[in-house]
Amino acid sequence: MSRAAELPRTVTRRPDFTGRALVPLALFFLLALAFPFLPLGARAEYLLQIAFFTVVAGVLALSWDILARSGQVSLAHAAFYGLGAYGFALLVKVMPWFLAMPLAALIAALLSLILGAVTMRLSGMYFAIATLAFTEVVRTIIQNLPESVAGGANGLLVPALLGGNARAQYFLAVAVLLLTALVSLAVRFTRLHHAFAAIRQGEETARVLGVSIVRYKLLAFFISSFLAALGGVLFAGKTFFINPLETFSLANSIAPLTTSIFGGLYTTLGPILGATVLRVAEEILHNSIKNGYLVVYGLVLMLSILWLPRGLMGLLRKGKHGGDL
């Protein structure tokens, strides 16, 4: 919490848009699209499942980072993620999945505006605590809805996305990650970058510069929660089952934050790389250390963040291979 409250507040220069800067990101997506066609052997199904959840983690981390660019260190991502999952589970019963998916995300995004409006005057740890409380309120409401509607504490069965076709589900997840990356680039290379950075630097500074703080803060909330909710839809459609305790867990709010810091804040490539490295490392540790692997994983993550204050993107920039994304 304290580390999150001390995120860098420097107004960063908006990078010039060049095709060269997009090369690392383009290579990542080419590799991601080619992954299912690689000779993965007998463990192909398992590896494709790991790749799917890695992509979803990338969606969550990058969507969180977009909100953080406006200076709002939110712990409400589990709420948006869960609202997307539950919204899809309920809507897909009465409409096709391709309509239920964006509509569930839109509902979550509209609800996020309520949180954004209520917390408008809060900052730092007060804002983080308020967003965490919002997640608990949403979880409690979902859990206490009639079981015939949302399944109560026991959870809810969810129809499989795309008929349960693992490869099709993976490509859908990659498409959502690509959408998230394009939105991130749109924020990065337009006037939104200066508006968000000015608010992050200090609201008084932003007012002097003529930035409408209310408008841009709510816009950041809307964009971030919409994308996070799409991640929740992917999760629900893949696992076939959701329950309030796990879907709205604190871990689902903390993971996007730590992943973004580990990969590199306020960048597009950083949170995606962070999700990839951390998810693969977690699987390797889980398979190598059956008991207590999370302790080792947590220590490695903590030390990495301490030694790499600018994340993986800081290392890549030192090596001049990271572009300015």
Side-chain angles (χ1 to χ4, degrees):
M1 176 76 72
S2 58
R3 177 68 182 84
E6 296 171 0
L7 296 177
R9 298 173 65 84
T10 304
V11 176
T12 54
R13 177 182 62 84
R14 189 181 72 181
D16 296 328
F17 183 85
T18 63
R20 187 178 179 183
L22 293 175
V23 170
L25 199 60
L27 288 176
F28 174 88
F29 277 103
L30 285 176
L31 182 60
L33 290 173
F35 183 78
F37 303 104
L38 298 177
L40 302 175
R43 306 186 73 185
E45 186 176 345
Y46 164 74
L47 293 174
L48 189 60
Q49 179 169 302
I50 298 302
F52 175 90
F53 288 112
T54 299
V55 170
V56 174
V59 171
L60 290 179
L62 189 51
S63 63
W64 183 90
D65 188 82
I66 291 172
L67 180 61
R69 293 176 202 181
S70 66
Q72 302 179 93
V73 184
S74 170
L75 291 178
H77 243 51
F80 308 139
Y81 176 79
L83 285 169
Y86 269 88
F88 176 75
L90 298 176
L91 291 170
V92 79
K93 295 178 181 177
V94 296
M95 62 179 67
W97 70 270
F98 54 85
L99 294 179
M101 186 173 184
L103 185 55
L106 181 61
I107 292 172
L110 292 174
L111 290 175
S112 79
L113 296 180
I114 299 174
L115 175 62
V118 170
T119 58
M120 188 64 61
R121 295 182 180 277
L122 300 178
S123 62
M125 67 177 181
Y126 300 103
F127 176 81
I129 292 171
T131 55
L132 182 61
F134 175 79
T135 303
E136 282 301 301
V137 169
V138 174
R139 183 187 65 78
T140 302
I141 291 174
I142 295 289
Q143 190 167 318
N144 286 281
L145 288 175
E147 287 195 16
S148 58
V149 176
N154 294 323
L156 195 63
L157 292 174
V158 185
L161 262 176
L162 300 169
N165 186 313
R167 183 172 289 191
Q169 290 175 339
Y170 172 76
F171 285 126
L172 178 62
V174 172
V176 172
L177 180 60
L178 178 60
L179 170 67
T180 308
L182 292 175
V183 171
S184 173
L185 290 175
V187 171
R188 184 77 168 149
F189 290 104
T190 63
R191 61 188 302 175
L192 286 177
H193 172 83
H194 288 311
F196 286 0
I199 295 173
R200 189 171 73 243
Q201 174 73 4
E203 295 190 4
E204 289 303 320
T205 304
R207 285 192 184 92
V208 170
L209 295 174
V211 175
S212 174
I213 295 172
V214 173
R215 181 195 304 172
Y216 285 108
K217 274 192 169 183
L218 292 180
L219 180 60
F221 251 114
F222 185 88
I223 294 172
S224 177
S225 58
F226 182 87
L227 296 170
L230 288 180
V233 172
L234 292 171
F235 173 81
K238 179 70 175 179
T239 59
F240 318 144
F241 176 78
I242 52 177
N243 66 68
L245 196 59
E246 293 183 2
T247 308
F248 296 95
S249 67
L250 179 61
N252 284 335
S253 283
I254 295 293
L257 183 154
T258 54
T259 301
S260 296
I261 294 174
F262 177 76
L265 283 170
Y266 317 142
T267 65
T268 299
L269 186 59
I272 296 175
L273 282 181
T276 304
V277 172
L278 289 179
R279 194 72 180 88
V280 171
E282 184 180 0
E283 280 303 312
I284 292 174
L285 288 173
H286 181 255
N287 292 328
S288 304
I289 309 172
K290 295 299 181 185
N291 296 318
Y293 80 96
L294 283 176
V295 175
V296 178
Y297 174 78
L299 285 173
V300 171
L301 179 59
M302 183 178 66
L303 293 174
S304 300
I305 290 176
L306 288 174
W307 286 340
L308 298 173
R310 298 181 62 192
L312 295 177
M313 291 302 291
L315 278 180
L316 293 176
R317 282 167 177 156
K318 284 182 180 177
K320 299 181 180 179
H321 296 297
D324 205 7
L325 288 178

